[in-house]
Amino acid sequence: MQQTVLIIDDEPDIRELLDITISRMGLKTIAVGNVHDAMQALQSDPAINLCLTDIKLPDGSGLEIVRHIQQSSPSTAVAVLTAYGSTEVAVDALKAGAFDFINKPVSVEQLRNLVKSALKLGRRDTQFDGSSNTRLLGETPCIVTLREQIIKLSRSQAPIYISGESGSGKEVVARLIHANGPRSDAPFVPVNCGAIPSELVESEFFGHAKGSFTGAYDHKEGLFEAANGGTLFLDEVADLPLNMQVKLLRAIQEKAVRRIGSNQEIPVDVRILSATHRDLSKAVAAEHFRSDLFYRINVIEVQVPSLRDRRTDIPLLAKFMLDKIGREWGLTPPVMSDEALQTLCDYRFPGNVRELENIIERAATLCENSIIKPDDLSLPSAPATTEGANTSAKIASEISHMEAAKGDMESYLANIEMQIISDAMEANRWNKTESAKMLGVTFRQFRYKLKKHQLDN
């Protein structure tokens, strides 16, 4: 069945351009010039699939149309036309429920991409899609609500800011927003902004032309181009250098990038999702993060709950992780004893779901007779409470270290440092940025230590 697009713009030339371009895509069009005629068209033809409206109209605002469609026909996608550089208006439209926006003067290529993405929405099942590799498990109210949010937000192209503690599952949420939206068949490109050396950030994001700098032996595609048509997930976005934040903002607003050493702008159709475990509003207040970029990527915020806020999900998560280990190892998965499960439920999990996964994998390796007992979990012990116990432990530790370091203290200390770094990397799934933060050192210092101990492979 032929799909229908309603075009609303009071400028005849633009209305004609939109009409011709969209008609050539094999779509039926209805073109009007004001709010009154638009409302009549929406009433007389409830089967309209997409509405494309200008913001400034002779008898009102395009935002009225966005809100009306959200209330009366939420299955109809609506996108807005905005004046060049009108970021605030675009953000208001997205918050009101617009699928996306496009700047005037209209780029025909961007218009086609927007229409194709919007019309895919009507062909998608609204049932939550969690693939076997990406799941949001849990039955607590906060997780049920989060799944509902994901379904709703996946229908929009609004930039989403995902907040939450380290290890809580922010990337899982980003992947599910992508998987449930019209871009699901296109690339999902995650990038840890804090893991890229500052001198390479621009090249990584935008690419470079051959010969643009020493070492640029060939043309290189950047992350924006790699994610074209899909989703770019900016993890730890708060770690971006300030000078790069300006360029990122421009790329998001213009929907185009320019490779280093090139004068040619490359149009990109990318949805931006971002996340950080930091308080981004505090970073803005401290002038470590640009306020204009913050408001651009934080159109809608999604909060991922910590594992402490959904303790009743721990048994379900633990069983899923054990079953996964069984499949990967080709063995019958170990069984969690009631005592071990209670021990897990009583633990505070500062590292959230990621820490639980590491604990389960370690316990599955250490347990005997395929039964996990409390000792197999190797959870951190409670600190000693008496002065005598503290003193005894301190003396024993000093004697042990002194004996071990005899004859070659430097080598002994180097081995301890290497073990600490290895443990931190394992605890953070080999995420260098998170490991450096855990140990209280800068990313540059951490990279140096990795290289020193030959752990950077």
Side-chain angles (χ1 to χ4, degrees), residues 160-446:
I160 308 295
Y161 168 56
I162 306 167
S163 61
E165 296 179 8
S166 293
S168 57
K170 296 187 291 295
E171 184 171 336
V172 169
V173 171
R175 287 184 180 276
L176 288 172
I177 291 173
H178 171 79
N180 284 274
R183 297 174 179 267
S184 58
D185 295 332
F188 175 89
V189 179
V191 53
N192 187 320
C193 299
I196 307 173
S198 56
E199 63 272 16
L200 297 178
V201 174
E202 186 174 358
S203 173
E204 286 295 311
F205 273 91
F206 304 138
H208 59 249
K210 181 179 179 180
S212 55
F213 54 84
T214 304
Y217 300 116
D218 207 346
H219 297 293
K220 179 189 174 182
E221 181 184 73
L223 293 166
F224 268 86
E225 288 180 77
N228 196 22
T231 302
L232 182 61
F233 175 52
L234 307 175
D235 198 9
E236 297 305 338
V237 69
D239 291 343
L240 279 175
L242 279 168
N243 64 327
M244 184 59 199
Q245 292 176 26
V246 180
K247 295 170 182 175
L248 176 63
L249 177 63
R250 184 182 182 279
I252 293 172
Q253 290 183 171
E254 307 301 327
K255 298 187 178 183
V257 296
R258 184 180 296 155
R259 292 180 180 178
I260 296 175
S262 171
N263 293 323
Q264 181 183 359
E265 282 209 329
I266 303 169
V268 286
D269 172 32
V270 172
R271 185 180 190 183
I272 299 292
L273 305 179
S274 58
T276 181
H277 72 281
R278 297 189 193 181
D279 187 328
L280 208 52
S281 58
K282 287 184 179 178
V284 171
E287 298 185 351
H288 296 150
F289 198 84
R290 291 182 61 95
S291 60
D292 47 5
L293 178 59
F294 172 70
Y295 292 119
R296 190 63 186 84
I297 64 174
N298 189 26
V299 173
I300 300 171
E301 181 175 353
V302 176
Q303 176 72 41
V304 183
S306 68
L307 192 52
R308 295 184 302 282
D309 294 330
R310 54 184 191 112
R311 289 179 184 275
T312 53
D313 285 334
I314 290 175
L316 177 65
L317 291 167
K319 185 180 185 308
F320 172 80
M321 291 169 183
L322 285 171
D323 289 344
K324 180 182 175 186
I325 287 170
R327 289 194 302 272
E328 291 176 350
W329 293 0
L331 301 169
T332 302
V335 176
M336 183 85 64
S337 70
D338 291 342
E339 296 81 6
L341 190 57
Q342 187 58 52
T343 301
L344 276 181
C345 291
D346 291 339
Y347 181 58
R348 285 192 58 77
F349 285 103
N352 291 293
V353 179
R354 185 184 298 152
E355 184 182 11
L356 173 62
E357 192 170 13
N358 290 335
I359 288 169
I360 294 292
E361 187 168 348
R362 182 170 63 236
T365 305
L366 296 174
C367 73
E368 295 180 2
N369 302 320
S370 293
I371 298 175
I372 296 175
K373 297 179 179 178
D375 288 346
D376 298 323
L377 300 172
S378 303
L379 297 180
S381 302
T385 55
T386 67
E387 186 177 347
N390 286 336
T391 303
S392 298
K394 182 179 179 183
I395 292 171
S397 176
E398 286 175 351
I399 293 172
S400 173
H401 284 310
M402 186 173 67
E403 288 297 323
K406 276 183 179 178
D408 192 357
M409 185 178 74
E410 291 298 324
S411 180
Y412 175 67
L413 292 175
N415 285 333
I416 291 177
E417 184 178 68
M418 183 168 68
Q419 187 59 52
I420 290 170
I421 290 170
S422 296
D423 289 348
M425 288 282 279
E426 184 178 352
N428 290 285
R429 282 185 162 186
W430 305 100
N431 184 313
K432 296 176 185 176
T433 304
E434 292 298 326
S435 300
K437 288 174 185 172
M438 175 183 279
L439 299 179
V441 297
T442 66
F443 184 72
R444 190 179 294 274
Q445 288 172 325
F446 192 72

